[in-house]
């Protein structure tokens, strides 16, 4: 059986390549406000890039395909938006509450979902996120179809005014880069190595004495918490929380982003997120054709392009990226 | 009391759709090891084909009941031959992703041409009206849906569990190489099985056309409930899918009567409870 991440398994591990790539990425993103590129678009893409990286942590390194990851994005978003708007908390506490909520959610849903593997795990996470979707549709604090609108951005640590586009941009960028480094660190830690061994051959890991369920749950919670961070950051950019972020089509989108960029590659999800968000931005006038195009990309990726953009590049140069 | 019986009937009808859809999923999963995410989209296609038949060819409900599943089933055969086939030997998750992509394409195309609003499909003359059962008024069409799907489910069960063809099918699921050695064309069998599963989805679509309107997204949300049904049932057996499907429809209907706020979520809540007690599902074997 060919594992879903087999194609992306690193050929030559070289942390130098990865560091160089990271510096290039950080510099390119840092100069965005001085180019003509629309910063709002980049901020949005960064939030989704973080979301996709968090998702990839689970599938790319744990081999678990969650089809309900939108529940973390949406939950953290609702909690942060509610905390900022109704309770009037500072931005840093809003983010903290959002991430905490998604971590709690991840622990609960993880304990349920981890009990089944493979396709069943995907279906369970999908069903759980749909359960949450209906709950958010009905509970008063989310305002149903209207969502929470006009969320104030506030001052981060009482100093940085997030209502200023440039301050907001660099805040989002720094949060993204720090989270990216954290994911990088997790992957390269002993924990990450165990995770990869579970992905490759779970029975072997069990026979070596690892409590694989605990590792998988930990990966799931980390992934959920980081996806929550993406959801919280997204509130400052979009200034509203809506049902779109919890709907299962959002869970499909993050799978698509990761698949396009390269499952199990470090930079793949970032590239994938930018590609998909750019596509949605520039093809918006074609209405439902965007869905069709996304479907076609899905099909093409699965049939012929399983490594994704970064995966192909890494494979060509025999490097891990 | 009237309302209770009415909800019970609605539950049985929804249960018929759950059963037909999860039955098709189980048949496909058995042979292809793929969770067919496109199932909801193909169910929708079944309803649309019936609608096209009526609008453009004057073919009525009864012929649609036979022809629409065949048309959509053939479409399924083409999908299997051109795409799904190439995934054998790969991780099952690729099948899920590929069929998800196919669902997006099919639904997107229909949305482009028909928007998101529903198209009406009239109840056939023979099944119009209703009968007063004394304790409730039963619209004939609704009774027909329940009985007809039950017959189809039992027939499918019989085909797979009690005939020679079904025996070959089950054997091929267990050990394709060995069955091939007996001179049975396994790839063709896989293709036809996919066609059969898809046909069942399309049949459910035709049945639902007169009750629910014909809409591009009619299968999109339904399929996730069916996934929950499948997780609860465990997809271990054909009969398991049928019984779980009907039972959960009834549970949902009852919830709508006693505590309507939870009617959207009760199936998912049940899924969680079942998983906590029995992770393999009610009739499940470990996969």
């Amino acid at each position: 059986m060919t594992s879903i991440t087999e194609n992306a398994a690193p050929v030559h591990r070289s942390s130098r390549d990865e560091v160089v790539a990271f510096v290039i990425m950080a510099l390119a993103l840092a100069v965005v406000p001085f180019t003509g590129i629309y910063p709002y678009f980049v901020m949005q893409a960064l939030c989704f890039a973080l979301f996709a990286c968090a998702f990839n942590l689970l599938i790319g390194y744990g081999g678990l395909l969650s089809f309900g990851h939108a529940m973390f994005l949406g939950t953290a978003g609702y909690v942060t938006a509610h905390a900022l708007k109704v309770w009037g908390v500072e931005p840093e506490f809003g983010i903290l509450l959002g991430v905490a909520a998604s971590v709690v959610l991840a622990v609960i849903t993880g304990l349920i979902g981890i009990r089944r593997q493979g396709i069943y795990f995907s279906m369970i996470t999908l069903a759980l996120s749909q359960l949450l979707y209906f709950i958010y549709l009905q509970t008063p604090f989310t305002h149903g179809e209207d969502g929470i609108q006009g969320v104030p951005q506030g001052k981060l640590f009482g100093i940085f005014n997030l209502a200023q586009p440039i301050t907001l941009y660099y805040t989002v960028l720094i949060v993204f880069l720090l989270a990216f480094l954290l994911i990088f660190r997790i992957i390269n830690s002993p924990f990450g190595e165990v995770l990869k061994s579970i992905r490759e051959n779970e029975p072997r890991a069990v026979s070596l004495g690892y409590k694989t369920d605990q590792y998988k749950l930990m990966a799931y919670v980390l992934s959920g918490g980081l996806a929550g961070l993406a959801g919280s950051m997204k509130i400052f950019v979009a200034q509203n929380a809506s049902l779109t972020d919890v709907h299962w089509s959002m869970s499909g989108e993050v799978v698509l982003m990761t698949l396009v960029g390269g499952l199990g590659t470090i930079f793949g999800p970032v590239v994938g997120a930018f590609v998909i968000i750019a596509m949605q931005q520039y093809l918006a006038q074609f209405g439902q054709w965007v869905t069709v195009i996304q479907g076609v990309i899905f099909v093409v990726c699965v049939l012929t392009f399983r490594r994704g953009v970064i995966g192909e590049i890494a494979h060509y140069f025999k490097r891990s990226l | 009391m009237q309302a209770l019986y009415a909800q019970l009937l609605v539950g049985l009808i929804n249960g018929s759709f759950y059963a037909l859809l999860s039955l098709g999923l189980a048949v496909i999963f058995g042979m292809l090891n793929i969770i067919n995410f496109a199932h909801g989209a193909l169910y929708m296609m079944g309803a649309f084909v019936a609608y096209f038949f009526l609008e453009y060819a004057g073919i009525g409900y009864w012929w649609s009941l036979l022809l629409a599943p065949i048309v959509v089933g053939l479409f399924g055969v083409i999908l299997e031959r051109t795409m799904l086939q190439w995934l054998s030997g790969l991780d099952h998750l690729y099948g899920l992703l590929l069929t998800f992509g196919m669902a997006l394409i099919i639904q997107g195309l229909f949305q482009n041409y028909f928007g998101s609003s529903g198209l009406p499909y009239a109840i056939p003359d023979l099944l119009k009206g209703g009968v007063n059962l004394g304790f409730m008024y039963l619209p004939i069409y609704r009774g027909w849906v329940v009985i007809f799907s039950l017959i189809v489910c039992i027939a499918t069960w019989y085909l797979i569990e009690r005939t020679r063809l079904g025996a070959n099918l089950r054997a091929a699921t267990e050990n394709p190489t060995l069955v091939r050695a007996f001179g049975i064309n396994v790839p063709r069998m896989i293709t036809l099985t996919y066609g059969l599963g898809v046909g069942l989805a399309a049949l459910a679509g035709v049945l639902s056309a007169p009750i629910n309107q014909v809409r591009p997204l009619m299968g999109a949300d339904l399929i996730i409930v069916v996934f929950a049904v499948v997780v609860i049932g465990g997809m271990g057996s054909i009969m398991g899918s049928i019984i779980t499907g009907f039972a959960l429809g009834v549970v949902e209907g009852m919830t709508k009567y006693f505590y309507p706020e939870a009617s959207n979520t009760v199936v998912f809540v049940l899924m969680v409870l079942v998983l906590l007690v029995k992770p393999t599902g009610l009739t499940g074997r470990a996969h």
Side-chain angles (χ1 to χ4, degrees):
Chain A
M1 185 63 52
T2 316
S3 148
I4 195 153
T5 51
E6 194 235 26
N7 295 314
V11 194
H12 285 295
R13 278 214 64 90
S14 155
S15 51
R16 205 196 58 188
D17 294 340
E18 289 160 357
V19 170
V20 170
F22 178 79
V23 171
I24 294 173
M25 177 176 80
L27 287 176
L29 289 169
V31 297
V32 162
F34 308 104
T35 63
I37 306 168
Y38 187 38
Y40 177 80
F41 157 72
V42 182
M43 282 193 278
Q44 212 193 3
L46 281 174
C47 292
F48 281 104
L50 176 53
F51 184 33
C53 286
F55 170 80
N56 182 48
L57 175 65
L58 189 62
I59 179 152
Y61 299 91
L64 292 166
L65 173 60
S66 157
F67 226 107
H69 245 50
M71 64 181 154
F72 303 118
L73 187 81
T75 298
Y78 273 130
V79 170
T80 302
H82 186 77
L84 288 171
K85 192 177 177 186
V86 181
W87 298 338
V89 302
E90 300 300 313
E92 59 273 19
F93 287 114
I95 297 170
L96 218 57
L97 286 170
V99 174
S102 55
V103 166
V104 170
L105 179 66
V107 171
I108 297 168
T109 55
L111 283 171
I112 299 161
I114 293 291
R115 301 173 134 238
R116 299 300 308 273
Q117 287 164 354
I119 307 174
Y120 277 99
F121 175 77
S122 307
M123 286 162 60
I124 291 163
T125 44
L126 177 60
L128 286 171
S129 82
Q130 189 70 354
L131 167 68
L132 229 72
Y133 175 84
F134 281 120
I135 291 176
Y136 289 143
L137 184 65
Q138 287 172 348
T139 45
F141 96 94
T142 59
H143 300 283
E145 307 272 353
D146 299 334
I148 305 176
Q149 292 177 350
V151 180
Q153 289 151 311
K155 279 190 174 167
L156 189 67
F157 304 119
I159 308 166
F160 305 109
N161 186 2
L162 297 179
Q164 275 182 341
I166 194 103
T167 318
L168 181 63
Y169 180 82
Y170 282 106
T171 308
V172 172
L173 178 61
I174 290 167
V175 170
F176 167 76
L177 292 175
L178 288 177
F180 187 90
L181 286 174
L182 176 65
I183 292 172
F184 188 72
R185 185 74 194 86
I186 294 170
I187 292 166
N188 290 305
S189 68
F191 169 78
E193 295 300 326
V194 177
L195 213 54
K196 277 176 248 177
S197 81
I198 294 172
R199 178 192 76 190
E200 299 305 327
N201 190 339
E202 186 165 351
R204 188 174 60 196
V206 172
S207 74
L208 285 172
Y210 289 110
K211 292 194 168 58
T212 55
D213 276 1
Q214 287 179 9
Y215 278 90
K216 287 198 282 189
L217 182 63
M218 190 63 205
Y220 183 79
V221 172
L222 282 169
S223 173
L226 285 161
L229 179 61
S232 290
M233 293 314 292
K234 203 170 161 291
I235 295 303
F236 294 95
V237 178
Q239 286 188 272
N240 69 60
S242 70
L243 284 170
T244 332
D245 286 354
V246 223
H247 195 253
W248 60 266
S249 52
M250 181 62 81
S251 300
E253 247 162 58
V254 74
V255 182
L256 182 60
M257 289 172 189
T258 315
L259 198 62
V260 166
L263 276 173
T265 63
I266 299 164
F267 293 92
V270 182
V271 173
F274 272 85
V275 170
I276 301 298
I277 296 297
M279 207 182 79
Q280 287 174 349
Q281 181 100 2
Y282 295 108
L283 299 180
Q285 75 260 35
F286 296 110
Q288 283 306 321
W289 285 110
V290 178
T291 320
V292 180
I293 294 167
Q294 285 189 340
V296 171
I297 297 177
F298 246 112
V299 170
V300 169
C301 278
V302 172
L303 286 178
T304 62
F305 191 58
R306 281 191 280 273
R307 289 194 188 99
V309 176
I310 293 295
E312 288 290 345
I313 295 172
H315 182 78
Y316 183 78
F317 290 105
K318 299 206 185 319
R319 289 279 186 273
S320 67
L321 283 170
Chain B
M1 266 335 248
Q2 283 275 335
L4 176 66
Y5 289 125
Q7 287 305 340
L8 190 65
L9 180 65
V10 170
L12 273 174
I13 291 169
N14 285 337
S16 313
F17 297 131
Y18 297 162
L20 281 173
L21 291 173
S22 65
L23 180 61
L25 281 176
V27 170
I28 292 172
F29 185 69
M31 275 307 273
L32 288 84
N33 265 317
I34 281 176
I35 285 288
N36 189 29
F37 216 118
H39 221 63
L42 295 161
Y43 157 85
M44 173 270 287
M45 273 180 86
F48 264 98
V49 169
Y51 174 82
F52 293 147
F53 275 166
L54 191 65
E55 284 293 296
Y56 303 109
I59 297 172
Y61 175 81
W62 298 101
W63 278 106
S64 284
L65 218 45
L66 176 70
L67 293 178
I70 293 177
V71 170
V72 181
L74 283 175
F75 178 71
V77 165
I78 296 170
L79 289 184
E80 203 281 332
R81 280 277 115 169
T82 52
M83 293 193 260
L84 285 167
Q85 203 188 27
W86 305 107
L87 297 182
S88 60
L90 294 177
D91 197 312
H92 306 330
L93 297 175
Y94 280 122
L96 182 86
L97 297 179
L98 181 71
T99 49
F100 180 74
M102 297 192 319
L104 289 183
I105 298 174
I106 298 170
Q107 272 161 204
L109 286 175
F110 275 88
Q111 270 186 293
N112 270 320
Y113 292 108
F114 301 97
S116 290
S117 53
L119 304 165
Y121 188 92
I123 294 177
D125 289 336
L126 196 62
L127 301 173
K128 274 194 180 133
V131 279
N132 198 338
L133 297 179
F135 56 90
M136 72 174 291
Y137 177 81
L138 173 73
I140 292 176
Y141 187 78
R142 295 178 179 241
W144 155 256
V145 168
V146 175
I147 291 164
F148 183 72
S149 12
L150 206 56
I151 294 170
V152 172
C153 285
I154 302 293
T156 313
W157 169 82
Y158 187 84
L159 177 76
I160 292 173
E161 300 286 339
R162 290 286 180 273
T163 63
R164 174 146 194 89
L165 179 70
N168 289 343
L169 203 74
R170 281 177 290 130
T173 313
E174 294 289 323
N175 192 340
T177 330
L178 189 67
V179 172
R180 262 182 127 142
F182 281 110
I184 292 167
N185 188 340
V186 174
R188 190 175 66 197
M189 212 149 133
I190 291 177
T191 309
L192 290 177
T193 309
Y194 190 73
L196 172 72
V198 167
L200 283 170
L203 183 70
V206 181
L207 281 176
S208 100
I211 301 180
N212 311 306
Q213 290 193 315
V214 181
R215 288 178 299 118
L217 292 179
M218 64 192 284
D221 288 330
L222 179 65
I223 192 66
I224 299 174
V225 181
V226 174
F227 282 166
V229 170
V230 164
V231 171
I232 295 171
M235 228 157 43
S237 70
I238 301 292
M239 197 44 103
S241 307
I242 300 170
I243 294 171
T244 323
F246 276 100
L248 286 170
V250 171
V251 169
E252 206 181 41
M254 292 292 90
T255 314
K256 211 169 272 174
Y257 178 76
F258 289 107
Y259 188 59
E261 289 82 0
S263 62
N264 281 329
T265 51
V266 65
V267 174
F268 302 113
V269 174
L270 267 178
M271 180 193 77
V272 170
L273 293 176
V274 169
L275 281 171
L276 289 177
V277 181
K278 199 164 180 289
T280 49
L282 294 177
T283 61
R285 2 170 187 145
H287 259 287

